[in-house]
Amino acid sequence: MSGTTSALTPPSYAVVPDRHPEAPAPGELLGSHYGRCFGCGTGQSHGLHLEARAGEGLRVTAEFTVREVHQGAPGLAHGGVLATALDETLGSLNWLLRAIAVTGRLETDFKLPVPVGSVLHLEAEIKAVAGRKIYSTATGRIGGPEGPVAVRADALFIQVKVEHFIENGRSEEINAAMNDPDQVRRARAFEVNP
């Protein structure tokens, strides 16, 4: 990727991690990590409703259909919405490590305009891990998985504990999520035993 800063280059001691033995199987739909998430949740009428699937190795794939509510320029996807689609796909990689992580840095390149009505085919891959840092990359293609690259990104995710969200989120949403059996199940799936 052109112009990537050194903050997104894995250090020499970084390693390519192993896929967690309990990670979703290749082809498995990953589902939403939170129903009200703008990127992957179904509880946002104007959200992306992005659906990611586990891929082979340390990869995930996703699709996002650009709707009229996602416009920036007339008839074209807003760049921030495209960056969100990349971020959501990159964040889905953490299911493969069974790690809870948040975006620390995201750098995007916009190569081609993405028209309303287009389906953006996204693929992301973990490049390396160094301590709590997860380095990854993603591309978005128009017209199919082999179509021209419209957007791409490199990212740095930082692993956190569930307390990060409890301490920083709005208490109403945190309480609702903690009382939702599906959310509790997802959170427990990522707990690491000492």
Side-chain angles (χ1 to χ4, degrees):
M1 184 164 152
S2 61
T4 299
T5 63
S6 61
L8 293 174
T9 302
S12 60
Y13 58 86
V15 297
V16 176
D18 291 326
R19 182 185 181 113
H20 193 281
E22 296 178 26
E28 187 175 332
L29 185 64
L30 299 178
S32 171
H33 66 273
Y34 175 54
R36 304 277 303 152
C37 174
F38 182 79
C40 65
T42 57
Q44 295 284 352
S45 60
H46 297 312
L48 305 186
H49 303 165
L50 188 133
E51 292 185 340
R53 291 189 180 279
E56 296 291 333
L58 296 172
R59 294 177 180 259
V60 299
T61 59
E63 288 187 355
F64 159 56
T65 301
V66 179
R67 298 181 293 149
E68 287 187 22
V69 296
H70 302 135
Q71 290 183 82
L76 298 174
H78 190 287
V81 170
L82 296 174
T84 301
L86 288 162
D87 182 50
E88 189 66 37
T89 305
L90 288 156
S92 296
L93 288 166
N94 298 315
W95 286 92
L96 304 179
L97 301 179
R98 289 183 56 101
I100 301 172
V102 295
T103 310
R105 186 175 190 93
L106 177 70
E107 290 186 16
T108 56
D109 284 336
F110 301 93
K111 302 289 191 180
L112 296 172
V114 180
V116 169
S118 297
V119 176
L120 194 62
H121 297 267
L122 298 135
E123 183 173 10
E125 179 179 23
I126 297 171
K127 296 191 299 188
V129 172
R132 294 176 43 222
K133 296 179 178 181
I134 302 169
Y135 297 86
S136 54
T137 190
T139 58
R141 297 173 181 270
I142 300 173
E146 303 302 320
V149 173
V151 292
R152 57 181 9 166
D154 283 330
L156 170 64
F157 279 76
I158 308 297
Q159 294 183 54
V160 298
K161 297 192 180 293
V162 172
E163 289 75 22
H164 168 83
F165 303 100
I166 294 169
E167 293 168 4
N168 296 293
R170 287 194 330 185
S171 56
E172 302 86 45
E173 280 88 359
I174 295 297
N175 290 333
M178 297 305 277
N179 290 323
D180 178 347
D182 288 335
Q183 291 299 326
V184 172
R185 178 184 49 78
R186 286 184 194 105
R188 287 201 176 125
F190 285 106
E191 287 177 358
V192 177
N193 293 325

